[in-house]
Amino acid sequence: MSRELTASREVAAATTVARVWSDRSWLAIAAGVYALLICGMFGNLLLRGDRLVSADWTSEIRILFYHLRFFSFRELASGNLPLWNPHIFSGIPLAANFQAALFYPPNGIFLLLPTARAINVSMALHTFLLGWFTFVWLRGRHLSPIASLVGGAVAMFSGPYFAFVYAGNLANLSTMVWAPLILRAIDGVLDGAQRPWALVGSAAVAMQVLAGHPQYVYYTALAAGLYFALSWPGARKRKSAVVALVAIYGGGAALAAIQLVPGLALTENSVRGGGHVPYHFASSLSFPPENLVTLVAPGFFGEMPKSSYWGKATLWEMNCTFGVSGLMLALYGVAYGRKDSRRFVLAGLALVMLVLALGSNTPLHGPLYELLPGFASFRASAKFAFPAVLCLIALMSIGLDALLRIPVRSPVFPALLVSFAVTCGIAGALVAHSARSGTDGRWAAMLRHVRDQAQEIDELFHRPVSDYESPQFIEQSGAAAGASLKRAAYLALCVALLLVASRWYRPLLYVLAALAVAEVMVVAWSWCVSFPVDDVWTPNLEQYVASQAREARFMDEVNPNEAMSIGGQNVIGHDPAVSRRYAEVFAFAARRPVDELTHYMEYHPQPAIPSAYRLARSHFLVVAGTQSGELMYYTLPMQNPLERLVLVADYVVLTARNDVLQAMSQADFEPTQTVILEREPFSAGEQRMSPGSQPIGMARVVDESTDHVTIEAHLQRPAILLITDSYDPGWKVRALPDSAQPRYELMPADWAFQAIPLQAGQHRFRLEYAPVSLKYGGAVTSLASVGWMALALSCWRRRSA
């Protein structure tokens, strides 16, 4: 009996080793396949990365990420960890800014490569990682290697992910890829392997936080929580699974605390402070119900580039494309997948995520905005389309796995596909016919509905509104939409034929698998565009900035973040990390509602606060225009900007924001004569200021970097030193030797700027930006990293024993 038991154990051990080796082999095979697909898609950009940047010219690469990465990692390469960014919005936090992603390990390539090449490599790397992590997740669900391989490939080039390559949003692309690994970790803890998968999951959550897009972290956490809750009744160890889930997110938060703690502190002082953005802003970029047609017809609303798209908002936000073949296989997976594949959990989660993506188009969005913690911090609920499509891709792999095990035998499903194909074909023909009816047809009425509804909710347009009344555009758009539906019909017919024929010749199922991958790659190919790296800069602006005074700022609405890469200082910028106080001053100046803030700021020729641009030290304005049909850029001087340091002889105390802004809006308010403070600047026993015409003294900057400024001042009488930089509570003042005062205090001035009360005498002090949240976050991350490595080593030793 003992011999039989020993023999059975030996067989079981041999089987386990074979399975592990097989999985390792398939992991390597999947990596090789995905690498080849990446080379096919990005090959030209990887080879010519010093001259071309992967994205559209009007994308987030040119507007934000090229300049942010260039400045941040240039400072890191020089040995300086930049905590503060002096180049936009008169100064904003940098290291605490999630989008800067200074602590995200894969961003180390920006230290090794030129910025343009590093951007291309980063996009290719993260596309690869999404495919590979999806493969790992699907293999963990005991799907066949081929089905898992196809699922990963389709995920790589699916619309909700790969369209952001066109949009150039590096933070989105970097953050999304960790979602399937988190779901794999949840599967692992549900299956009983709590400790190792809790460690993997916490590392994946930490990487997602560090990658730079908090909204995808939040949405992934919601999806993961629902996924766990729906799957939990079938868990092997229910109580320990709950503990492991808490460890995944608690451990991930601790590992990423160096970014998470200062990032959350920054959010409280930014335009998204208090956890709420205005509802009209939060409800924008909701997924339009009609855009669900992109599940089968990705070109229904036009193609990239932007100029051909006529739907609401932007196509990269408003599509859920993963192929007609993929959708058909997903439906097959729901109907015929294995019972242990949790297919109904995935189907239910996909449905919930799609409903959430619809945002304000459903009655659910308002209550979630009011009641669900954190939900009101974000707009663009359309981003829920990514976890929805990820679940649908898993269902697609379940369907393909079921077919590879047992080919379709019933004619019912192929018959349904044929019916679907006929419906799409008829719909395409009707759309094309209606479009030829001109402005009186149903297609024209539908276009007007899209236009009017989008105007109501203040969505973005990328084509003239007049096009929606143009007979030529009506016919062209209808013909393109009809053709897209007809392509869906042809593809559905192909799937039906392959399913039927595979009953006699099973290798045709591999043709179906290849078709599913090829379909999404063809669409993705049209989104993989590039532009010359020289076009990220405004012509001649760098030279013009260099010719100005060292302290000169400018207002550039054309390319607001360019200041970071040319060494300039822009009064405005493009980043939600902007100080709420600063945004309120500029919103009031631009005559916009102060309680409905966003980070979008614009120049107003007659500002409600006449001194606003003077206080921000704006010397000139950058504008764009056309000359002989060509785009041209111009610089226009602005009147009487202040110096960086201004000694002011008088002050008033106003505590309420609206009172301060109203006082600043008065025609007789002169910021060089009077500064508005929020409390008394001098304590009992200190010499008080006395307005007069006699000289006050002088102040100058003697040394500075991104995170500190050393100032010397000599005053003949007490005064307020007004510093025309953006106020942030992270700035502190430290007295240097031989100063007239033992201590100094930095306080808000004119609501958004800085002030230091000074007594008469010789002063020397240093302003330092060193928020305590970054120190605490760094300490937590250090301790958590040591604990994580100790637990990982313990698991490895236990597994090796």
Side-chain angles (χ1 to χ4, degrees), residues 573-584:
H574 179 78
D575 199 306
V578 58
S579 159
R580 186 174 187 85
R581 286 173 172 266
Y582 191 83
E584 286 170 340

Side-chain angles (χ1 to χ4, degrees), residues 321-393:
T321 300
F322 72 106
V324 174
S325 308
L327 180 61
M328 300 300 105
L329 287 170
L331 294 174
Y332 190 86
V334 174
Y336 300 106
R338 290 183 292 110
K339 292 182 179 179
D340 61 347
S341 61
R342 296 177 184 154
R343 64 189 192 279
F344 295 124
V345 169
L346 289 166
L349 183 58
L351 181 60
V352 171
M353 293 294 105
L354 284 176
V355 170
L356 292 176
L358 295 175
S360 59
N361 295 301
T362 71
L364 188 63
H365 189 264
L368 289 174
Y369 174 86
E370 295 293 341
L371 301 174
L372 186 62
F375 192 85
S377 299
F378 308 107
R379 66 166 180 166
S381 60
K383 289 181 171 62
F384 275 113
F386 173 70
V389 169
L390 195 60
C391 291
L392 291 173
I393 289 170

Side-chain angles (χ1 to χ4, degrees), residues 430-502:
L430 289 175
V431 167
H433 179 268
S434 177
R436 290 193 292 270
S437 301
T439 56
D440 297 327
R442 291 185 178 181
W443 181 253
M446 194 275 291
L447 288 177
R448 287 193 291 269
H449 172 73
V450 170
R451 177 200 63 189
D452 296 340
Q453 193 177 32
Q455 286 178 330
E456 284 180 13
I457 61 176
D458 195 27
E459 295 288 15
L460 306 175
F461 274 91
H462 296 291
R463 65 179 316 107
V465 177
S466 58
D467 280 0
Y468 293 77
E469 296 288 351
S470 166
Q472 182 180 5
F473 173 72
I474 291 171
E475 183 173 353
Q476 289 176 348
S477 63
S484 186
L485 287 170
K486 291 174 184 176
R487 283 194 294 271
Y490 297 145
L491 288 166
L493 279 177
C494 288
V495 174
L497 290 172
L498 287 170
L499 286 178
V500 173
S502 66

Side-chain angles (χ1 to χ4, degrees), residues 153-430:
V154 171
M156 289 163 64
F157 302 112
S158 61
Y161 180 79
F162 201 81
F164 281 100
V165 171
Y166 179 93
N169 200 315
L170 292 181
N172 294 43
L173 294 168
S174 301
T175 307
M176 282 188 273
V177 303
W178 301 98
L181 191 57
I182 293 171
L183 295 176
R184 174 64 187 98
I186 290 175
D187 280 341
V189 301
L190 289 169
D191 291 338
Q194 275 84 10
R195 182 176 292 185
W197 283 111
L199 288 170
V200 172
S202 61
V205 168
M207 294 293 279
Q208 195 177 47
V209 172
L210 297 173
H213 203 286
Q215 186 170 3
Y216 276 113
V217 177
Y218 184 83
Y219 286 1
T220 301
L222 287 180
L226 286 171
Y227 181 73
F228 179 86
L230 293 171
S231 305
W232 182 73
R236 294 182 180 179
K237 302 176 182 178
R238 294 185 182 181
K239 291 183 180 179
S240 56
V242 173
V243 174
L245 179 68
V246 173
I248 286 174
Y249 270 93
L255 288 169
I258 192 171
Q259 181 69 76
L260 189 61
V261 174
L264 293 176
L266 165 62
T267 301
E268 288 302 311
N269 297 313
S270 73
V271 291
R272 300 191 179 184
H276 277 70
V277 296
Y279 184 73
H280 77 88
F281 187 72
S283 61
S284 65
L285 299 180
S286 296
F287 199 96
E290 63 269 19
N291 279 48
L292 290 172
V293 74
T294 57
L295 279 167
V296 295
F300 187 86
F301 295 97
E303 305 282 356
M304 304 289 193
K306 295 177 184 178
S307 58
S308 70
Y309 175 67
W310 54 268
K312 296 173 190 171
T314 53
L315 183 54
W316 54 85
E317 293 273 12
M318 305 302 163
N319 84 91
C320 46
T321 300
F322 72 106
V324 174
S325 308
L327 180 61
M328 300 300 105
L329 287 170
L331 294 174
Y332 190 86
V334 174
Y336 300 106
R338 290 183 292 110
K339 292 182 179 179
D340 61 347
S341 61
R342 296 177 184 154
R343 64 189 192 279
F344 295 124
V345 169
L346 289 166
L349 183 58
L351 181 60
V352 171
M353 293 294 105
L354 284 176
V355 170
L356 292 176
L358 295 175
S360 59
N361 295 301
T362 71
L364 188 63
H365 189 264
L368 289 174
Y369 174 86
E370 295 293 341
L371 301 174
L372 186 62
F375 192 85
S377 299
F378 308 107
R379 66 166 180 166
S381 60
K383 289 181 171 62
F384 275 113
F386 173 70
V389 169
L390 195 60
C391 291
L392 291 173
I393 289 170
L395 287 169
M396 176 202 73
S397 295
I398 290 172
L400 182 58
D401 177 76
L403 285 169
L404 291 171
R405 292 173 185 272
I406 305 174
V408 64
R409 299 188 184 279
S410 171
V412 174
F413 194 76
L416 290 175
L417 293 184
V418 172
S419 300
F420 173 81
V422 171
T423 302
C424 285
I426 293 173
L430 289 175

Side-chain angles (χ1 to χ4, degrees), residues 5-24:
L5 182 60
T6 302
S8 64
R9 287 178 176 174
E10 289 177 354
V11 171
T15 304
T16 301
V17 170
R19 185 171 64 250
V20 170
W21 174 249
S22 175
D23 283 347
R24 289 178 179 175

